């Protein structure tokens, strides 16, 4: 490892000029992370476990070398550790929530390896909705009126106090499916039974959080944290439902754009004060060393912003729009986050807007076929300001084929949202695979 520093004025002056980096995960978020990390002059070698067909095609700006995908699952902690030790990886970056909740950060740190992401204690904010709800109430973070329950009768009684108009949430990780929106008491009781009695989400449903139903506009906030400091990103908005006009089933996210017009800079700064300041103070008070990404889901209600939930990692597909807008060096930012050095760090963002349209397999979020050949990718990537991030793709017989529900995140920058939206959809039109499904109204709300 070459210890020469690149920029002695940088707050991350200790960062190495030659870094071997391992990224963990295989989705669109991880492709965006790899793509941005590969542009850094600090990165000399990059692996991704397990990665995808798009990640395989990335090249490092510093030396033109390829990114290597290694066949180790994101949750196979012992193998990931052994790989990092064998290759003398300098810095590991974790994308998905599961390895964080399993304690990958603690494991790597206990073996003297530098890693970016939240530790197991901090991952509880995402892994347990009961934990998050109690924390928000204790530290005065604006959220929905709510109760937490392990008893079915008490849970149903609480739903009745809200007139049955409520949201019943399984406590644990349930692949984004453990949240049931209810319109009346009968629906609420069925939701409680489904989660707590039928155990539709297994052990994740041993406890529930029941929140009042909030009306408003939903936005995503992202902040990079280093244990004491939290630095807020610009705003973005996801589109969770499968179909245009926010119809159809909930998905992992069908598209994003940034910035959103729904929060002015002043409102964003106010939201940061109301949410991030008590969050970081609470973490310090509870002995939680929160270093990594904090992604609160927010409802902008007529009584101000309210936190619906905390995620403890980058959003997918928020990452795709954020990283195409980010001008700063991502290696330096993540290193500063892991090293407790964010306080003096300036984030530089492009003034352009970014739009990401997810192309999904036909049938998603239900059952869908795999192995469909994808064409038009190279032509799409040649369009100005456009980057196609891969999510569910693999190489098969020299062809790129579909391998997941969300297949591609077609992302474009433009001088404003309308231009970025037109560019993203122009790129979508050049890409083909059998049964491809995408929403045609990403960013339309903002226009
Ligand atoms: P969560 O995983 O807690 O963010 O919930 C998933 C989705 O359910 C959110 O993105 C919202 O669209 C919706 N949701 C969650 N909590 C509430 C709430 N209290 N009121 C209205 N909608 C909610």
């Amino acid at each position: 490892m070459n210890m020469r520093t690149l920029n002695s004025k940088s707050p991350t002056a200790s960062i190495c000029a030659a870094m071997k980096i391992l990224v963990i995960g295989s989705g669109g978020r991880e492709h965006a992370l790899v793509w941005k990390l590969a542009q850094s002059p600090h990165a000399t070698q990059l692996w991704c476990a397990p990665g995808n067909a798009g990640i395989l095609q990335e090249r490092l700006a510093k030396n033109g070398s390829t990114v290597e995908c290694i066949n180790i699952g994101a949750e196979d902690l012992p193998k990931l550790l052994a790989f990092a030790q064998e290759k003398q990886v300098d810095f590991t970056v974790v994308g998905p929530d599961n390895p964080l909740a399993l304690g990958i950060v603690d494991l790597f740190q206990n073996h003297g390896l530098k890693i970016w992401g939240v530790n197991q204690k901090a991952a509880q904010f995402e892994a347990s909705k009961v934990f998050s709800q109690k924390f928000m109430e204790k530290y005065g973070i604006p959220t929905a009126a709510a109760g937490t329950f392990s008893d079915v009768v008490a849970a149903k009684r609480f739903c009745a106090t809200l007139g049955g108009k409520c949201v019943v949430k399984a406590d644990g990780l349930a692949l984004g499916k453990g949240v049931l929106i209810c319109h009346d008491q009968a629906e609420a009781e069925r939701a409680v039974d489904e989660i707590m009695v039928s155990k539709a989400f297994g052990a994740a449903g041993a406890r529930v959080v029941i929140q009042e139903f909030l009306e408003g506009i939903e936005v995503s906030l992202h902040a990079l944290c280093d244990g004491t400091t939290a630095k807020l990103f610009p705003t973005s908005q996801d589109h969770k439902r499968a179909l245009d006009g926010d119809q159809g089933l909930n998905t992992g996210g069908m598209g994003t754009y940034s910035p959103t017009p729904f929060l002015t800079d002043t409102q964003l700064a106010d939201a940061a004060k109301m949410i991030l300041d008590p969050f970081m103070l609470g973490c310090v008070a509870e002995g939680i060393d929160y270093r990594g990404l904090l992604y609160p889901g927010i409802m902008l209600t007529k009584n101000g912003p309210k936190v619906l939930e905390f995620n403890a990692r980058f959003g997918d597909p928020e990452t795709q729009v954020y990283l195409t807008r980010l001008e700063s060096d991502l290696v330096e930012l993540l290193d500063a986050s892991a090293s407790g050095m964010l306080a003096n760090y300036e984030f530089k963002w492009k003034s352009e807007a970014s739009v990401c349209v997810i192309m999904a397999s036909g049938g998603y979020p239900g059952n869908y076929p795999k192995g469909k050949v994808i064409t038009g990718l190279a032509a799409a990537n040649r369009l100005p300001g456009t980057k196609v991030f891969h999510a569910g793709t693999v190489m098969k017989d020299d062809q790129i084929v579909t391998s997941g529900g969300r297949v591609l995140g077609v992302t474009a920058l433009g001088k404003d949202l309308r231009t970025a939206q037109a560019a993203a959809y122009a790129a979508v039109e050049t890409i083909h695979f059998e049964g491809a499904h995408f929403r045609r109204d990403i960013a339309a709300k903002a226009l």
Side-chain angles (χ1 to χ4, degrees), residues 129 167 169 179 181 211-214 218 299 308-309:
K129 290 189 189 283
V167 183
K169 305 184 177 190
V179 173
I181 294 175
Q211 290 181 335
E212 65 174 320
F213 179 82
L214 292 174
E218 217 177 320
M299 191 71 88
L308 300 179
E309 60 152 0

Side-chain angles (χ1 to χ4, degrees), residues 173-189:
L173 293 173
L175 296 172
K177 292 182 183 154
V179 173
L180 304 177
I181 294 175
C182 310
H183 302 89
D184 55 39
Q185 182 64 15
E187 241 179 68
E189 295 198 2

Side-chain angles (χ1 to χ4, degrees), residues 180-228:
L180 304 177
I181 294 175
C182 310
H183 302 89
D184 55 39
Q185 182 64 15
E187 241 179 68
E189 295 198 2
R190 276 200 300 278
V192 170
D193 284 337
E194 191 179 335
I195 295 176
M196 301 184 83
V197 182
S198 315
K199 304 216 180 320
F201 309 104
R207 294 186 295 172
V208 290
V209 172
I210 299 173
Q211 290 181 335
E212 65 174 320
F213 179 82
L214 292 174
E215 287 185 56
I217 295 172
E218 217 177 320
V219 295
S220 303
L221 298 185
H222 274 57
L224 194 59
C225 307
D226 74 351
T228 48

Side-chain angles (χ1 to χ4, degrees), residues 138-313:
K138 184 166 175 188
Y139 292 99
I141 297 172
T143 180
T148 58
F149 303 93
S150 50
D151 175 71
V152 175
V153 176
K156 290 180 179 174
R157 212 179 295 133
F158 184 74
C159 295
T161 68
L162 298 170
K165 218 172 166 228
C166 61
V167 183
V168 184
K169 305 184 177 190
D171 175 44
L173 293 173
L175 296 172
K177 292 182 183 154
V179 173
L180 304 177
I181 294 175
C182 310
H183 302 89
D184 55 39
Q185 182 64 15
E187 241 179 68
E189 295 198 2
R190 276 200 300 278
V192 170
D193 284 337
E194 191 179 335
I195 295 176
M196 301 184 83
V197 182
S198 315
K199 304 216 180 320
F201 309 104
R207 294 186 295 172
V208 290
V209 172
I210 299 173
Q211 290 181 335
E212 65 174 320
F213 179 82
L214 292 174
E215 287 185 56
I217 295 172
E218 217 177 320
V219 295
S220 303
L221 298 185
H222 274 57
L224 194 59
C225 307
D226 74 351
T228 48
T229 299
K231 293 262 171 148
L232 196 61
F233 289 12
T235 49
S236 69
Q237 191 175 43
D238 192 4
H239 299 65
K240 294 257 181 233
R241 301 292 198 94
L243 306 175
D244 286 9
D246 292 332
Q247 301 296 307
L249 295 172
N250 249 331
T251 69
M254 293 301 290
T256 39
Y257 65 92
S258 171
T260 74
F262 301 115
L263 270 183
T264 62
D265 287 349
T266 317
Q267 286 169 318
L268 183 62
D270 286 349
K273 256 199 211 86
M274 282 191 285
I275 296 162
L276 297 184
D277 291 359
F279 181 87
M280 293 311 289
L281 286 173
C283 281
V284 172
E286 299 287 324
I288 298 170
D289 188 11
Y290 201 101
R291 296 175 193 229
L293 207 289
L294 176 68
Y295 154 21
I298 306 282
M299 191 71 88
L300 302 174
T301 72
K302 62 179 184 338
N303 300 318
K306 310 250 181 195
V307 178
L308 300 179
E309 60 152 0
F310 286 120
N311 300 289
R313 35 85 200 164

Side-chain angles (χ1 to χ4, degrees), residues 327-342:
E327 230 167 80
S328 309
D329 183 314
L330 186 62
V331 175
E332 291 187 5
L333 288 190
L334 299 187
D335 181 80
S337 160
S339 313
M341 309 264 279
L342 272 180

